[in-house]
Amino acid sequence: MATVQRWSGREARLLRDALRMSLRDFAACLGVSDRTVSNWEGGEASYQPRAESQAVLDIALGRAPDDAKARFAAALGTNGAAPPVTGRIEVDSHTFLPVFIGVERAGRLCAHMTSSADDQWLEFSSARVDHPEAQDCVLHIFACGVAVFHLFQPHEPTALTELALWRYRFYASDLPWARDKLRDLLDEDHARVPNPEYVLSVPAHLRPVGRNRLRHCPAPAVHAVGPGRPRRPGRTRAPGRHGRESFLGTGFDHPDIVSFGVRGVSTAYAGWSGIAYASHSRERSLTIDELVTCELTVQALWCFTRQIQQMIENGQDPSMPDQYSWRFLRAAYSRLTTARAQETAQHVLMQEAILTSSPS
């Protein structure tokens, strides 16, 4: 009988196929949820279920009919174990820094920028600006009064821990840089220029693909707390080395991480601190431009509503120009939550995941 030294998502899928069971029936047979089995199989050879799940899979294989065991052994023999995920990690990091500057200031800046395409439902203008380290930096000014800096920087960290430290380093430097850049563009006294609050999200495109590596990036507990570093109420500090190694090796399920990948097309996760996306099928997967456009829209609307919330908390009348009153917010919500005819199921899953995991 074929034996498995260490189960991965690949072997779990082969066993299910050998038993000729649907995902739902297989999950019921093992006594786990459909989502658990889907997560195993989505991670393929790079994902290893927890110890208790390893034992459950051992039992399922031992109890399988002889013909199913034969099919499983044949599949193992012909498909060969996939090599472990090794080698360098390549990351395309897209960082966003939103700040509310007001409709009047936005109008002044837009007059010297390139307007968005006609098909963009949330009106904005853009211009490239110099950044000391980013490969590319674009400032987007939304007509509703929000400015969003979009920084692109490819990176090849030696390990995921180094990636996290690399991201932390920019939190302390990019926020004051963004404020200084706005001061220069607006030609205003430094004290009058508003502060970007924090880096809300960092989409990352990782290669090679590893399910737990991807889940690590948007994990809410990944960000350390410190001066100039973001923190959402109720979140914990970054896990130590032992904790990182544990969930990278055996899996890590955080309730605030939402999966929006499509089997055979992509592996994707969203969390309040970012999204991670890796394509398996270039022709069918979402493009990085589609991911960035969605994130820009959510960033701008989050920043706009955050400004209204702060005004209310400060006892001020949250007055906005008529075109950006409650009707604007209602239309924006409807636009983000209602699929258009040209949008695929992947677009819908992406928008739902980002909206669900974004702070509100």
Side-chain angles (χ1 to χ4, degrees):
M1 183 185 81
T3 58
V4 178
Q5 187 69 24
R6 185 73 180 175
W7 291 89
S8 73
R10 172 184 172 272
E11 284 81 25
R13 174 59 189 269
L14 292 179
L15 177 58
R16 181 169 73 82
D17 288 344
L19 291 169
R20 294 178 176 171
M21 288 184 174
S22 67
L23 189 147
R24 180 173 296 178
D25 291 340
F26 187 58
C29 176
L30 299 180
V32 299
S33 68
D34 299 0
R35 181 179 179 183
T36 296
V37 175
S38 179
N39 284 340
W40 293 349
E41 296 185 359
E44 300 179 343
S46 63
Y47 176 61
Q48 295 182 343
R50 294 186 175 87
E52 58 269 23
S53 297
Q54 296 277 331
V56 168
L57 288 164
D58 286 338
I59 294 171
L61 176 58
R63 293 177 177 176
D66 290 342
D67 59 340
K69 291 177 181 176
R71 287 192 293 269
F72 179 69
L76 282 178
T78 57
N79 287 293
V85 178
T86 58
R88 71 176 187 265
I89 306 170
E90 299 178 28
V91 181
D92 292 338
S93 178
H94 295 261
T95 306
F96 300 91
L97 299 102
V99 55
F100 185 83
I101 60 174
V103 174
E104 188 273 330
R105 285 172 169 156
R108 279 195 281 140
L109 291 180
C110 286
H112 306 285
M113 295 182 171
T114 303
S115 299
S116 59
D118 294 337
D119 60 348
Q120 296 291 340
W121 67 277
L122 196 59
E123 182 185 356
F124 66 88
S125 298
S126 305
R128 279 183 163 77
V129 295
D130 293 330
H131 185 276
E133 295 188 61
Q135 180 173 307
D136 191 25
C137 180
V138 179
L139 174 60
H140 302 277
I141 303 295
F142 289 82
C144 61
V146 175
V148 182
F149 288 93
H150 171 207
L151 285 64
F152 169 71
Q153 184 77 339
H155 187 53
E156 294 186 13
T158 56
L160 284 173
T161 301
E162 194 270 323
L163 172 61
L165 293 174
W166 179 76
R167 288 165 63 175
Y168 297 157
R169 182 167 62 87
F170 288 105
Y171 294 153
S173 61
D174 279 341
L175 296 178
W177 168 84
R179 190 181 189 210
D180 289 343
K181 180 62 68 173
L182 281 174
R183 178 199 61 191
D184 294 340
L185 292 172
L186 293 168
D187 193 23
E188 292 187 12
D189 180 77
H190 196 283
R192 295 182 57 199
V193 178
N195 287 310
E197 288 199 64
Y198 54 77
V199 180
L200 175 64
S201 180
V202 182
H205 186 186
L206 273 70
R207 302 172 302 271
V209 175
R211 176 183 181 274
N212 293 328
R213 291 185 176 195
L214 285 169
R215 287 184 70 87
H216 180 278
C217 287
V222 167
H223 293 296
V225 177
R229 294 173 180 171
R231 180 174 184 176
R232 187 181 178 191
R235 295 298 179 264
T236 58
R237 288 181 179 271
R241 177 180 177 182
H242 177 74
R244 286 191 297 269
E245 291 176 350
S246 175
F247 75 69
L248 285 174
T250 62
F252 175 67
D253 289 314
H254 195 291
D256 288 343
I257 296 177
V258 181
S259 171
F260 64 97
V262 176
R263 180 175 177 79
V265 177
S266 64
T267 302
Y269 298 97
W272 82 270
S273 59
I275 65 174
Y277 188 89
S279 167
H280 305 311
S281 173
R282 182 173 298 181
E283 295 77 14
R284 295 189 295 159
S285 61
L286 297 168
T287 66
I288 193 64
D289 286 343
E290 289 172 320
L291 291 164
V292 167
T293 297
C294 182
E295 189 67 23
L296 271 173
T297 301
V298 174
Q299 293 272 349
L301 292 174
W302 170 84
C303 187
F304 182 80
T305 55
R306 175 63 176 159
Q307 171 66 19
I308 295 174
Q309 181 185 26
Q310 287 183 327
M311 293 173 70
I312 294 174
E313 290 175 351
N314 293 334
Q316 300 174 338
D317 180 12
S319 59
M320 290 288 175
D322 290 342
Q323 65 268 39
Y324 304 115
S325 62
W326 64 271
R327 291 184 177 86
F328 168 75
L329 291 176
R330 185 175 65 179
Y333 179 80
S334 176
R335 178 63 182 75
L336 286 173
T337 56
T338 304
R340 292 172 295 170
Q342 65 268 36
E343 288 182 335
T344 66
Q346 291 186 76
H347 288 90
V348 175
L349 290 172
M350 170 184 65
Q351 290 171 187
E352 288 180 349
I354 291 177
L355 285 173
T356 299
S357 58
S358 295
S360 56

